[in-house]
Amino acid sequence: RPCYGPFSLGKQEEAPYGPGNKFTFTKRSKRLYWARLGWYPEAGYIFVLPGGKSPANETMAKIEQLDTDGFIDLSSRAMFIDFTVYNPNLQLYSIVRLVFEFLPTEGTTPP
């Protein structure tokens, strides 16, 4: 079984992977994001879940398919989940970013 170290910009994988190479690398900008274990670029393998009024079972089916296809594996080091919520009482939008970092020891850091 391969051993993967901590994340490094110089060692970041950019080749397509997954069934039929369906997951492709996307570079958005040169911006970096700090998390507990290091800096991460605004680049990587991006998957957009259905939003808006999509049924919850449709979203769960997409998440289950990502799991089946190995979207996150032992070489994954971070996962960012971004979403927006609206509070109609205050007429206020909030943008939320959850960050999960995966340790080389197969654990994860809490958000």
Side-chain angles (χ1 to χ4, degrees):
R1 164 168 144 170
C3 180
Y4 298 96
F7 178 77
S8 166
L9 284 172
K11 295 180 182 177
Q12 184 175 14
E13 182 63 58
E14 296 184 5
Y17 76 100
N21 287 330
K22 72 190 289 184
F23 304 125
T24 57
F25 187 83
T26 303
K27 221 175 227 185
R28 292 199 165 176
S29 73
K30 294 184 180 185
R31 204 174 349 186
L32 294 173
Y33 294 101
W34 171 250
R36 291 182 183 199
L37 301 177
W39 292 90
Y40 299 94
E42 187 178 34
Y45 299 90
I46 298 170
F47 186 84
V48 178
L49 290 171
K53 298 184 182 207
S54 297
N57 60 349
E58 178 184 337
T59 302
M60 282 307 299
K62 299 268 185 191
I63 291 171
E64 288 169 2
Q65 189 62 50
L66 287 173
D67 184 41
T68 300
D69 292 344
F71 186 71
I72 300 217
D73 60 16
L74 291 175
S75 65
S76 300
R77 286 294 162 257
M79 178 175 63
F80 291 77
I81 301 173
D82 298 330
F83 59 94
T84 305
V85 293
Y86 177 67
N87 183 330
N89 294 328
L90 299 174
Q91 296 183 354
L92 184 69
Y93 287 93
S94 294
I95 299 170
V96 180
R97 169 169 283 153
L98 300 176
V99 180
F100 297 90
E101 291 178 285
F102 303 102
L103 305 167
T105 57
E106 298 184 28
T108 184
T109 61

